[in-house]
Amino acid sequence: YGLSFVFAIFSCAVALLLVRRPRRELLWLVVLVVPIALPGVPGPVAGSRRALLVQPDIDTEMQWTEDNVRDTQQKLASLSRTPGADLILWPEVPAPFYVSDAQFRDYTARIAQTAGTPFLFGGVGFTPQREPLNSAVMMGPSGKIVDRYDKINLVPFGEFIPPMFGWVNRITKEIGDFVPGERVVVFPLDGHKLGAFICYESAFPDLVRQFVRGGAEVLVNLSNDGYFGHSAAHQQHLEIVRMRAAENRRWILRATNDGITAAIDPAGRVVERMPAFVQTAGLLPYDYQSIQTSYTRHGDWFAWTCFALGFLMSAVSLIHRRL
């Protein structure tokens, strides 16, 4: 929001000059001096840990059968065998993987046990009422499920149809509507803590900071951008995630179905990225950070202050005109 403010204030200044408003109306530009006094961007840092990020490149239009689900699982298991990882990550649910399915749980448990590594993957969970959830599941090296995070901010017309819009076409072919999760989950990870947000929850800075406030020392973004085809939306989504890293001074590991899978450092720099639209896996760097930024601690006070002042000044101006 601070960067948006800088762009907005410059645009407003240019507009005032073009319409030849009095120069005194440009005095508020002095607030742009404030960023000069802010701390500089942290220098590059090397991650001392390695996470294995699996990019399955699964066709989002595939018609699923028992055979191709089994083949997909075998390919994912093969990609997950690279040694040297401190953590294994799969993207947001790329196939009909149901957490309640005992066979799927046994399959994922064997992957974690074989690697002897914590394993975070996307799957479909269910509420006690059997309503589907878009979930991220953490499994320990023993093959036991540690905890599950259920996506809180769902995509309208993609994961659910808002009330009164039942006649609108869906973006995806998912059968049935997902329901939102109700809690922010921070997973334990080898004496540290990890927060995982799913897909376009990256566009909600206040939500992402809740994971860090809850103790997350590294962040993970599980996503499936396959529905965007080869459009610029892949790169745009990556840019959004970079902002969340910089705001909270956290490494972010971004595991996607077909790209852009990447490791982002606490300053928002893309340290490493994997080629898009290919089935692959790679060891990407990350590390743990415990510092909390002003934004992490205090949230969107600046944006709300701007809103309140704007509303107040508009009211004063309206009253002044009527007088």
Side-chain angles (χ1 to χ4, degrees):
Y1 293 118
L3 291 176
S4 300
F5 177 81
V6 171
F7 283 112
I9 201 171
F10 268 118
S11 299
C12 187
V14 171
L16 291 174
L17 289 172
L18 290 175
V19 299
R20 301 181 183 277
R21 298 288 293 180
R23 291 188 180 273
R24 67 176 182 273
E25 295 186 12
L26 298 177
L27 288 177
W28 41 263
L29 283 173
V30 297
V31 300
L32 292 180
V33 176
V34 175
I36 299 175
L38 296 177
V41 176
V45 291
S48 62
R49 315 270 179 156
R50 291 292 180 271
L52 178 63
L53 277 66
V54 175
Q55 181 176 287
D57 192 36
I58 295 172
D59 182 2
T60 57
E61 300 299 318
M62 182 181 294
Q63 301 297 317
W64 292 101
T65 65
E66 288 187 12
D67 289 339
N68 57 29
V69 168
R70 185 168 53 253
D71 289 344
T72 298
Q73 290 180 348
Q74 290 174 352
K75 289 177 182 177
L76 285 167
S78 177
L79 290 168
S80 304
R81 289 183 187 136
T82 303
D86 299 291
L87 172 67
I88 298 175
L89 297 177
W90 285 5
E92 177 186 17
V93 54
F97 295 158
Y98 299 103
V99 180
S100 60
D101 181 359
Q103 185 177 1
F104 178 68
R105 286 202 309 274
D106 290 342
Y107 157 72
T108 51
R110 285 195 298 272
I111 292 175
Q113 291 167 344
T114 301
T117 304
F119 177 25
L120 181 67
F121 59 90
V124 178
F126 289 94
T127 67
Q129 293 76 35
R130 299 297 298 170
E131 298 168 305
L133 298 154
N134 188 347
S135 303
V137 180
M138 175 65 83
M139 186 168 279
S142 66
K144 302 277 189 184
I145 291 178
V146 176
D147 206 341
R148 187 184 81 196
Y149 168 68
D150 303 318
K151 187 177 181 183
I152 294 172
N153 286 308
L154 301 175
V155 178
F157 308 108
E159 294 170 312
F160 78 104
I161 300 296
M164 300 174 61
F165 285 94
W167 49 275
V168 177
N169 290 334
R170 300 170 184 267
I171 297 173
T172 72
K173 295 181 178 179
E174 180 64 36
I175 299 174
D177 286 337
F178 284 104
V179 296
E182 298 178 346
R183 64 190 182 106
V184 171
V185 176
V186 176
F187 299 111
L189 179 64
D190 294 333
H192 298 277
K193 293 183 178 180
L194 176 150
F197 52 100
I198 299 174
C199 196
Y200 264 99
E201 288 189 316
S202 59
F204 297 87
D206 187 66
L207 172 65
V208 175
R209 80 180 184 92
Q210 299 301 328
F211 292 96
V212 182
R213 288 195 72 190
E217 299 164 83
V218 63
L219 295 172
V220 169
N221 176 223
L222 304 183
S223 189
N224 180 2
D225 293 348
Y227 302 101
F228 296 130
H230 288 252
S231 72
H234 288 81
Q235 184 65 37
Q236 291 168 349
H237 196 180
L238 176 63
E239 300 304 321
I240 291 172
V241 178
R242 291 178 61 196
M243 291 302 301
R244 306 293 82 85
E247 287 166 349
N248 297 285
R249 291 290 186 267
R250 289 293 185 273
W251 280 88
I252 295 184
L253 295 167
R254 185 162 190 265
T256 70
N257 175 29
D258 61 355
I260 299 171
T261 299
I264 304 166
D265 78 3
R269 301 181 187 90
V270 177
V271 177
E272 288 189 34
R273 59 189 286 173
M274 288 155 54
F277 310 114
V278 294
Q279 187 176 91
T280 185
L283 290 170
L284 300 188
Y286 75 98
D287 219 325
Y288 300 109
Q289 299 282 339
S290 58
I291 187 174
Q292 289 200 354
T293 65
S294 176
Y295 180 75
T296 300
R297 292 192 301 269
H298 306 299
D300 297 321
W301 65 268
F302 178 75
W304 285 111
T305 300
C306 287
F307 174 79
L309 288 175
F311 182 81
L312 179 62
M313 289 189 290
S314 297
V316 170
S317 177
L318 182 61
I319 293 171
H320 178 73
R321 288 178 183 177
R322 291 190 174 182
L323 294 177

